[in-house]
């Protein structure tokens, strides 16, 4: 019976991955092992499920019908297992999480590492990246995202709070170039810009009515890493637009000074996102609950700002 189920899982992985090679990588198997599993499955069923060439593969008519039933059957099995899992006292198994780099290091990782201490049978696997990750495609249990979410019927989300962003610079930079007191004075300064794929992101600064308006400031340096931008600001390369959860530590140490405090922006929402399933595994549930309990206090502006 187990061999039959393994063949089904392999078949679904091949269809969803789009190739034997990709399915083999996902399942940590050789391409040959995946190919043999599909051949055994087709032999047992007495039908061909996939048209295969050296470069492409397509489902046969029988393959389409079998795939649809396999997906429903596996979803039902997962639902039953998750229901049992939820009733367990101690979460266990591998929890695969993807988080933004700087936010992940400073805010998310400490929370998840706390769970590792609390639940010895829980295995925490964290990927730090600012690129967009596809939960379903990459087999992730949970991701943390900053910014508005796309509508999706296959994903669920929980709001963890909203990060505030402020302008800051080093004491040396301000001593040389002066401290701006009005938005109009930013034209006399240089910024360290955040860029992604060659595009520089504007700063959303509130106007007189409090509505955020995009402004662009002359920049000599642009980076796609918020931690590197903070380091460049400390080194005196210009003004930086930084989230309060990162800025606070540098203000406390005296490395950076906030400017234009009244223009603090509540800029982006923070979410925990996971695949939308009927029954959530205990390992994922405890991680979401811990993030919801601890992240809001981490990202709220402190008294030093």
């Amino acid at each position: 019976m187990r061999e039959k189920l393994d063949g089904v899982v392999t078949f679904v992985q091949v269809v969803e991955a789009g190739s034997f090679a990709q399915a083999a990588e996902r399942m940590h198997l050789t391409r040959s092992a995946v190919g043999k599993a599909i051949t055994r499955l087709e032999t047992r069923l007495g039908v061909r499920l996939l048209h295969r060439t050296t470069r492409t593969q397509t489902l046969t008519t029988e393959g389409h019908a079998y795939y649809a039933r396999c997906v429903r059957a596996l979803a039902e099995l997962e639902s039953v297992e998750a229901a049992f899992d939820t009733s367990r006292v101690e979460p266990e198994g591998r929890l695969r999480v993807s988080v933004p780099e700087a936010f992940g290091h400073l805010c998310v990782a400490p929370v998840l590492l706390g769970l590792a201490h609390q639940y010895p049978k829980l295995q925490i696997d964290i990927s730090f990246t600012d690129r967009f990750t596809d939960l379903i495609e990459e087999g992730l249990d949970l991701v943390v995202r900053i910014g508005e979410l796309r509508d999706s019927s296959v994903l669920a989300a929980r709001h963890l709070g909203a990060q505030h962003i402020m302008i800051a610079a080093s004491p040396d930079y301000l001593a040389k170039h002066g401290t701006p007191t009005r938005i109009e004075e930013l034209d006399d300064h240089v910024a360290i810009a955040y860029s992604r794929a060659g595009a520089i992101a504007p700063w959303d600064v509130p106007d007189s009515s409090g509505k955020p308006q995009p402004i662009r400031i002359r920049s000599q340096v642009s980076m796609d890493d918020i931690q590197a931008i903070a380091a460049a600001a400390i080194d005196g390369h210009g003004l930086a637009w930084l989230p309060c959860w990162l800025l606070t530590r540098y203000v406390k140490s005296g490395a950076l000074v906030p400017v234009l405090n009244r223009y603090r922006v509540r800029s982006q929402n923070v979410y925990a996102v996971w695949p939308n399933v009927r029954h959530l595994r205990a390992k994922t549930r405890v991680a979401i609950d811990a993030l919801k309990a601890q992240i809001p206090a981490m990202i709220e502006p402190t008294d030093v700002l």
Side-chain angles (χ1 to χ4, degrees), residues 94-98 112 123-127 140-142:
R94 185 185 183 204
L95 179 72
R96 296 192 62 209
V97 185
S98 178
L112 298 182
Q123 300 170 336
I124 307 291
D125 182 350
I126 309 175
S127 173
L140 296 167
D141 298 300
L142 182 68

Side-chain angles (χ1 to χ4, degrees), residues 192 223 225-237 240 242 246 250 256:
I192 306 161
M223 303 179 181
D225 183 286
I226 199 71
Q227 184 70 66
I229 290 174
I234 292 169
D235 201 38
H237 288 279
L242 299 171
L246 178 61
Y250 298 122
L256 290 175

Side-chain angles (χ1 to χ4, degrees), residues 180-189 260 262-263:
T181 58
R182 297 182 299 118
I183 291 297
E184 294 76 14
E185 295 175 13
L186 293 178
D187 291 338
D188 300 325
H189 290 266
L260 295 170
R262 66 183 181 278
Y263 293 103

Side-chain angles (χ1 to χ4, degrees), residues 5 13 39 48 72 83 99 149 154 156 158 168 170 182-183 185 193 199 226-227 231 243 247 255 270 285-287 293:
L5 185 58
Q13 287 289 336
T39 299
R48 181 173 288 278
R72 289 197 296 270
V99 297
L149 301 178
V154 298
R158 191 170 182 183
S170 71
R182 297 182 299 118
I183 291 297
E185 295 175 13
I226 199 71
Q227 184 70 66
L247 179 58
V270 182
R285 176 173 46 79
V286 297

Side-chain angles (χ1 to χ4, degrees), residues 48-170:
R48 181 173 288 278
L49 300 172
L50 294 161
H51 292 302
R52 300 188 281 278
T53 68
T54 55
R55 292 189 176 183
T56 63
Q57 65 179 44
T58 56
L59 285 167
T60 63
T61 302
E62 294 83 358
H64 275 290
Y66 190 65
Y67 170 71
R69 294 197 174 194
C70 286
V71 169
R72 289 197 296 270
L74 290 175
E76 187 61 30
L77 282 172
E78 182 178 351
S79 178
V80 172
E81 289 183 5
F84 288 140
D85 184 72
T86 301
S87 65
R88 291 176 182 163
V89 175
E90 183 175 357
E92 62 181 21
R94 185 185 183 204
L95 179 72
R96 296 192 62 209
V97 185
S98 178
V99 297
E101 287 197 28
F103 187 77
H105 282 293
L106 295 180
C107 299
V108 181
V111 176
L112 298 182
L113 291 175
L115 291 179
H117 280 304
Q118 187 176 355
Y119 303 109
K121 294 181 180 179
L122 185 62
Q123 300 170 336
I124 307 291
D125 182 350
I126 309 175
S127 173
F128 298 89
T129 178
D130 286 332
R131 70 175 178 82
F132 180 83
T133 51
D134 188 316
L135 280 83
I136 308 301
E137 181 71 22
E138 300 182 36
L140 296 167
D141 298 300
L142 182 68
V143 302
V144 173
R145 289 183 177 159
I146 300 175
E148 295 312 305
L149 301 178
R150 303 173 184 174
D151 290 336
S152 174
S153 60
V154 298
L155 299 178
R158 191 170 182 183
H159 185 246
L160 302 179
Q163 69 171 9
H164 299 251
I165 299 181
M166 293 182 65
I167 301 171
S170 71

Side-chain angles (χ1 to χ4, degrees), residues 31-44:
R31 189 184 184 285
S32 175
V34 170
K36 289 177 181 178
I38 298 300
T39 299
R40 287 195 299 270
L41 179 61
E42 290 178 328
T43 299
R44 189 174 77 243

Side-chain angles (χ1 to χ4, degrees), residues 220-268:
Q220 182 182 17
V221 177
S222 61
M223 303 179 181
D224 66 356
D225 183 286
I226 199 71
Q227 184 70 66
I229 290 174
I234 292 169
D235 201 38
H237 288 279
L239 301 175
W241 203 51
L242 299 171
C244 291
W245 51 262
L246 178 61
L247 179 58
T248 294
R249 61 178 51 207
Y250 298 122
V251 172
K252 285 181 177 180
S253 69
L256 290 175
V257 177
V259 299
L260 295 170
N261 294 33
R262 66 183 181 278
Y263 293 103
R264 176 191 297 164
V265 177
R266 182 171 180 166
S267 177
Q268 295 168 312

